[in-house]
Amino acid sequence: MTGLLGPYLTELGGMVGLAWDTLRQALRRPLDLDLWLEQLYQIGVRSLTITNLTLLFTGMVLSIQTAYSLAAYGGKTFVGDIITVSVVRELGPVLTALMICGRVGAGITAELGSMAVTEQVDALRALATDPVKKLVVPRVGALVIMVPILTILADTVAVFGGMLMAVFEIGQTRSYFISRAVASLTLGDIASGVGKTVFFAVIIGTVACYNGIRATGGADGVGKATTNTVVTASIFVIISDFFLTKIFLLF
């Protein structure tokens, strides 16, 4: 059993080590502002379309499905409550993180993997520049900043999509839906949903950078590393969501 798990445990240990190294380097001066701004744009602004579209249609579908499922029990009036809480606590953070895994995680691994196989990472070391400080810190830091913001925007868009369906398909008024949505939402729901995204961002950034820097074998190796990032980060996000949900429910 240990022999089978050995390679996976080694990789997990390497990712934890990289995460610790990233935190340590992030606290050191100087802060390369240009790199940070570039990553904030690439990771945040250019991900707006995919995250918002995903959550818009998720909110619309959830509204329709919830209304028809509750119709037999006379529960259509609770559509706003159910959509808002489920999106803010679970669907918004998780779906946003999964979209970021596919778009940003894969992009980071491909970019760093290309640098690794063309020996640009080794060149940084030869110039006495820490690759973690130069390559990893801005990307992980930008993810930690932008994923919560993207999630909040996507949550808002999802609730808006749910409201559209509630108004045009179910016949509720806009003011009624909004009042139910606001009344059902608590500060704990918001803190739980947004709090998860910080952990998701660290997971995605660490996995993507770890696989990218360690990529070998030319274009084929970069492709395998990119696929491994999307699969591994997605699994880690879903697994961590379970444990984070249990933890946040204690408070």
Side-chain angles (χ1 to χ4, degrees):
M1 189 68 175
T2 306
L4 291 174
L5 294 177
Y8 300 104
L9 293 176
T10 301
E11 281 205 3
L12 181 61
M15 291 175 190
V16 172
L18 178 61
W20 172 251
D21 220 10
T22 302
L23 176 62
R24 195 165 48 83
Q25 292 293 338
L27 299 176
R28 290 180 54 192
R29 299 286 182 180
L31 183 69
D32 199 330
L33 190 58
D34 289 340
L35 284 176
W36 278 74
L37 291 175
E38 173 66 18
Q39 292 305 317
L40 287 170
Y41 173 77
Q42 293 293 338
I43 290 170
V45 177
R46 298 191 66 179
S47 297
L48 280 170
T49 302
I50 187 171
T51 55
N52 287 342
L53 273 178
T54 300
L55 268 297
L56 172 65
F57 285 96
T58 298
M60 294 168 71
V61 170
L62 186 62
S63 180
I64 295 172
Q65 293 283 18
T66 303
Y68 281 101
S69 298
L70 296 179
Y73 308 100
K76 280 189 176 182
T77 55
F78 299 105
V79 168
D81 308 55
I82 294 172
I83 289 174
T84 303
V85 174
S86 59
V87 164
V88 171
R89 289 191 71 97
E90 288 298 327
L91 288 177
V94 173
L95 288 179
T96 301
L98 292 177
M99 292 301 104
I100 296 296
C101 281
R103 186 198 168 273
V104 176
I108 290 174
T109 301
E111 184 180 6
L112 297 187
S114 298
M115 295 179 69
V117 298
T118 55
E119 299 182 351
Q120 294 180 55
V121 175
D122 293 333
L124 286 175
R125 294 192 181 98
L127 294 171
T129 302
D130 193 328
V132 174
K133 177 70 174 177
K134 192 76 172 177
L135 302 177
V136 178
V137 170
R139 289 166 172 80
V140 176
L143 278 165
V144 170
I145 294 171
M146 294 308 302
V147 174
I149 296 174
L150 289 170
T151 300
I152 292 170
L153 292 173
D155 288 348
T156 305
V157 170
V159 175
F160 173 75
M163 184 188 71
L164 288 180
M165 292 300 99
V167 170
F168 293 109
E169 291 285 333
I170 305 169
Q172 291 185 359
T173 64
R174 182 179 60 184
S175 59
Y176 179 79
F177 181 93
I178 293 174
S179 66
R180 296 294 306 186
V182 172
S184 66
L185 200 60
T186 66
L187 188 60
D189 296 328
I190 299 172
S192 172
V194 175
K196 289 178 183 180
T197 61
V198 176
F199 294 94
F200 295 162
V202 173
I203 289 170
I204 295 168
T206 303
V207 172
C209 292
Y210 178 79
N211 285 325
I213 289 177
R214 293 179 68 255
T216 56
D220 185 53
V222 174
K224 289 178 180 178
T226 303
T227 302
N228 190 37
T229 290
V230 176
V231 173
T232 304
S234 299
I235 291 173
F236 281 176
V237 163
I238 293 171
I239 293 174
S240 65
D241 178 58
F242 170 77
F243 292 103
L244 290 170
T245 298
K246 298 284 285 184
I247 292 170
F248 280 113
L249 286 176
L250 296 175
F251 300 99

